[in-house]
Amino acid sequence: MESSAAKAKPQGRLLVSTQLDAKDELEEKLERCVGIVQALTNGLSEREANDALTANVCKGQQQHEEVCLGLFTLVLTEPTQAQRCYRDLTLLNRDGMNLILVKINQILMEKFLKLQDVPRTQLVWLVRELVKSGVMGTDGVVMTLQKQIAGGDISTKNLWLAESVLEILLDQKEWVLKSGMLIAMSVYTYLRLIVDHGAPNLLILRQKEVDFCISMLREKFMECLIIGRDLVRLLQNVARIPEMELVWKDLLHNPQVLSPQFTGVLQLLTARTSRKFLACRLTPDMETKLLFMTSRVRFGQQKRYQDWFQRQYLSTAESQSLRCDLIRYICGVVHPSNEVLSSDILPRWAIIGWLLTTCTSNVAASNAKLALFYDWLFFNPEKDSIMNIEPAILVMHHSMKPHPAITATLLDFMCRIIPHFFPPLETQVRQGVFNSLTFIMEKRVLAHLAPLFDNPKLDRELRSMLRERFPEFCSSPSPPTEVKMEEAASMELENHMLEKEESCYDPTEAAFSDDEEEVNNKGKKREFRFHPIKEAVIEEPADITPWLNQLDDTMKEKVQQLQKTSDTETQCEVMQEIVDLILEEDFDTEQMSSLASCLAELFKDHFRGDVLPEEITEESLEDSVCRPVCLIFRNLVTMQEDNSGFSVLLDMLAEFYQKQPKIGYHLLYYLKASKAANGKMMLYESFAQATALGDLHTCLMMDMKACQEDDVRLLCYLTPSIYTEFPDETLRSGELLNMIVAVIDSTQLQELMCHVMMGNLVMFRKDSVLNILIQSLDWETFEQYSTWQLFLAHSIPLETIIPILQHLKYKEHPEALSCLLLQLRREKPSEEMVKMVLSRPCHPEDQFTTSILRHWASKHDDTLGEHIKAQLIKNNNQPRKRQSLRSSSSKLAQLTLEQILEHMDNLRLSLSNTKNNFFTQTPILQALQHVQASCDEAHKMRFSDLFALAEEYEDSQAKPPKSRRKAPATSPRSRKGAAPPTNNEEESASSSASEEEDSKPKAPKRKRKGSSAVGSDSD
């Protein structure tokens, strides 16, 4: 009955949700307002309905709000009624649409990503109508809507939004021109988006964007001037577009054309860009995640959050352009307080270092470095902030020891940008950089720059350039011992955090690192797995006083009671009382964060050591989940999803998760191990959506990663359930699989294989297995072997993954090649298998193709012969472009005739000293005849021994057997004479005779009988 009731749970029409999601408060309120409007108007004519609504609105502020929000919601959810509802809304509202504008902004900032397709489309339609009506304040809504257009994203939805907003701006140009801020914000937005829309299929959209920006820059340049120096940076990125180039040239050489008040590009470059512009190119979700990392995440624990951000926003080639937006935002907008700066919260320089080192495009890397140093170039201490230039110097300083290549790259860029940024302004740029460095020392960001600029880790040429450019900063004003004293604070911090710096960003992915040892050391990036933190030191009792004072008296008393007792059973009883208090209707949710901090501190011992019992039995599992923290889980499991307390408890757990991330995998363990939670694993999905991450996949991967680092046994124990309950999250990528194979031993591998064989675990499916195996090619050797063993435990046909052969190189991928070779050995060759095997490039040291062909030739000679014949004839009939596959290793291997012949010749040599009769098969010989008849002289010479087999076969078919035939004019043979003088003719004479033969008249057609064959060396 419960399951059918759950299935019948109505789906909201505004936001995307699952059966396990708690009802969204805003959606619930809007639906209630719709119900009020419908109750007032049901069964009435339009005029009567309008009168009824007007009468209700007159009753008071609450009724006015309910009717307006009801009509607003109907506009979003009922496209057929939208026009009428909007008309009623304009007539009935009494606050100039202010209530509606506030709700639109709220939805855009908080709920836009969750909007269903119809409400999303209708929301843009409503904004268009508000613009047409000239409603005051709509310009703010349009700017918020622009903020939702993500940079570096060319997905269909994002392109639709970009184009829809642009259409509003173009159609209502007169309205746009009335708002200076909207003009500037729109120009900033679309100048940035033009960069992303360079693909051929997006040129129409790009042209519209270009025309709009040029129109605004030409007509309203002084309004655009308020953008400041970043306007120059954006224009520089699009200056190669012909129409934009004209504006660019005017900006540099003829500024008066743009505006009489504009004195030149220096006027723009000396004006600092406002935060609101830098923030407008990040979506609210990106902004929330970045602010979370810079205010809540501890230094050294950021990798899981960075991985999530990378996967969500920086995983595609187009997304590389987003890095500049992120760096400009971090430098110009994220200015932490002194309290945060002095704490162990993740510093800005670490995030920027990660963004720089994970950049995969040289162009994007150069733009990212420019974004980092942009405020340096024309820095004025009186106008600009030290916070804008601090991240760059700290990235260089903190990278010097762990990653000197990164520091060197940035210092080199800083030196070279001075003369090259804009040669006519070289003096001003030099002064700007000098001002920056001087101000950095004045503010004691670094005590001295000499240890950075004249460091022995830098190469001689760079140090020489730094001394030449900045002689003032390259010599210490005092002896080295005194320098250390003056730098005591920063050096102490550096020594304390050095290990954390090693993991702040991964040098193995740096696009501009030239340190061979760092780049090629595969194992280094996982070094932390083998150095768990030892926690043998007995800590003093937790001090929770700061948080206790923020709790109400009743809750405070219970938490103190919990703190005093050490008996597990008593703690469980008190914890249940705390949960009961949380579930009370008058519980103040504002104290959740403080309560979560108290509990996280009190229960930190619970999250140390192994969770899984040494001996796994029903009793030991039940004992392991009888801990105070598990009381929250137990209450959630026993509650109905539609219970009002369910969402409150989930929110509490989400707060707890922020303080103690390990609780995520502890919840997974509870849901698997506890009898009370049997069949309730999907509760984890509700938990994931309630967290700040708000995404099941991200949350699951982070929790499994934390589990992997803490307890490998538990990871293996959870694996079957995770793959079974969340197949869409686990089977679509190799992320989880890589976590598992990176840490398991051979015993655990065998256990997982048994689970697969028994049907308890499915780790691969046909539609994604090929991609995962391709991803695994970059993993460590044992990880790859484990992956292949797990794959082979499944019953997936080998043909599903045979295209992987096109990605395998014999020196780089020996693990995959050896596993494939053994598996192909057991298979009967199919046409696709033979094609893929033959498509491998030929190399003297690569024996893969020859070895498997030789095996098939001995076991399945007939089948192999037919398949090779088919490939020979098929490729022989295609137009040939002579090329060496070895010269184009960047592309996937393509099957060519030359390649097949090379592999055939290698197989012939391999079988030459055996009794194998593969090359006596009629299909092979017929195919070779067919190829020989139409191939060029070079191929005949190169594969003469192979074609000789076909000639012997041809001679054996001829009647009489000793007769000779002339070669036809249409297909002259290599190493044949023009006339039939002697059989023992020299090769040199033969080739010259071939040339003569081309000029002599010959028989137009080859006949199998009655004509004489031309002599050859093989006869």
Side-chain angles (χ1 to χ4, degrees), residues 375-429:
D375 289 313
W376 288 52
L377 306 183
F378 298 91
F379 185 79
N380 182 345
E382 294 179 4
K383 295 180 182 178
D384 293 307
S385 168
I386 185 68
M387 298 300 283
N388 290 29
I389 60 174
E390 180 223 51
I393 198 73
L394 289 182
V395 169
M396 294 188 284
H397 172 69
H398 288 289
S399 300
M400 180 61 83
K401 286 189 178 180
H403 314 302
I406 293 166
T407 302
T409 306
L410 293 174
L411 286 170
D412 180 76
F413 182 86
M414 184 179 74
C415 291
R416 296 181 190 278
I417 197 67
I418 293 172
H420 294 126
F421 178 72
F422 186 46
L425 295 179
E426 181 179 349
T427 305
Q428 288 87 339
V429 175

Side-chain angles (χ1 to χ4, degrees), residues 212-456:
F212 170 75
C213 291
I214 290 175
S215 167
M216 293 295 113
L217 287 166
R218 293 280 186 197
E219 296 175 32
K220 292 286 183 180
F221 185 77
M222 292 310 293
E223 279 77 1
C224 299
L225 196 67
I226 64 173
I227 294 172
R229 60 175 65 118
D230 276 81
L231 177 59
V232 179
R233 183 177 63 86
L234 294 178
L235 283 169
Q236 194 174 0
N237 290 337
V238 298
R240 294 191 177 185
I241 298 171
E243 299 93 331
M244 280 294 183
E245 190 176 9
L246 298 174
V247 176
W248 180 245
K249 286 179 178 176
D250 285 342
L251 183 78
L252 299 181
H253 309 301
N254 198 9
Q256 297 290 310
V257 171
L258 296 171
S259 172
Q261 291 86 33
F262 181 47
T263 58
V265 70
L266 189 59
Q267 181 183 347
L268 260 177
L269 289 168
T270 52
R272 178 179 167 189
T273 299
S274 167
R275 291 182 174 197
K276 65 185 71 169
F277 292 107
L278 298 177
C280 83
R281 286 320 316 125
L282 269 66
T283 65
D285 190 55
M286 291 179 199
E287 202 170 358
T288 302
K289 299 302 188 291
L290 270 184
L291 291 174
F292 178 82
M293 281 199 277
T294 54
S295 63
R296 306 287 287 275
V297 176
R298 292 183 177 180
F299 189 36
Q301 297 180 359
Q302 70 271 24
K303 189 174 187 306
R304 60 191 303 202
Y305 301 100
Q306 289 174 349
D307 289 348
W308 180 91
F309 201 94
Q310 174 96 17
R311 200 165 46 242
Q312 189 80 357
Y313 296 116
L314 298 170
S315 59
T316 63
E318 303 80 32
S319 63
Q320 298 307 307
S321 62
L322 179 61
R323 292 177 192 273
C324 298
D325 302 331
L326 296 170
I327 290 172
R328 293 299 294 141
Y329 178 83
I330 292 168
C331 291
V333 180
V334 182
H335 292 175
S337 64
N338 288 333
E339 185 184 358
V340 172
L341 288 172
S342 61
S343 70
D344 62 350
I345 294 297
L346 178 65
R348 297 185 300 161
W349 63 261
I351 300 179
I352 290 175
W354 160 66
L355 289 170
L356 289 172
T357 54
T358 54
C359 198
T360 58
S361 154
N362 289 333
V363 174
S366 297
N367 290 337
K369 285 180 275 187
L370 179 61
L372 179 60
F373 283 106
Y374 206 62
D375 289 313
W376 288 52
L377 306 183
F378 298 91
F379 185 79
N380 182 345
E382 294 179 4
K383 295 180 182 178
D384 293 307
S385 168
I386 185 68
M387 298 300 283
N388 290 29
I389 60 174
E390 180 223 51
I393 198 73
L394 289 182
V395 169
M396 294 188 284
H397 172 69
H398 288 289
S399 300
M400 180 61 83
K401 286 189 178 180
H403 314 302
I406 293 166
T407 302
T409 306
L410 293 174
L411 286 170
D412 180 76
F413 182 86
M414 184 179 74
C415 291
R416 296 181 190 278
I417 197 67
I418 293 172
H420 294 126
F421 178 72
F422 186 46
L425 295 179
E426 181 179 349
T427 305
Q428 288 87 339
V429 175
R430 187 185 303 278
Q431 186 61 46
V433 175
F434 182 84
N435 289 344
S436 301
L437 293 169
T438 306
F439 204 49
I440 282 166
M441 290 180 65
E442 283 179 11
K443 293 295 182 182
R444 307 290 289 175
V445 176
L446 291 183
H448 293 296
L449 295 175
L452 180 64
F453 284 7
D454 200 21
N455 196 297

Side-chain angles (χ1 to χ4, degrees), residues 499 527-535 709-711:
E499 284 187 18
E527 193 176 355
F528 65 89
R529 290 176 180 144
F530 307 105
H531 298 277
I533 299 170
K534 304 295 181 188
E535 300 191 34
E709 292 171 10
D710 291 348
D711 190 346

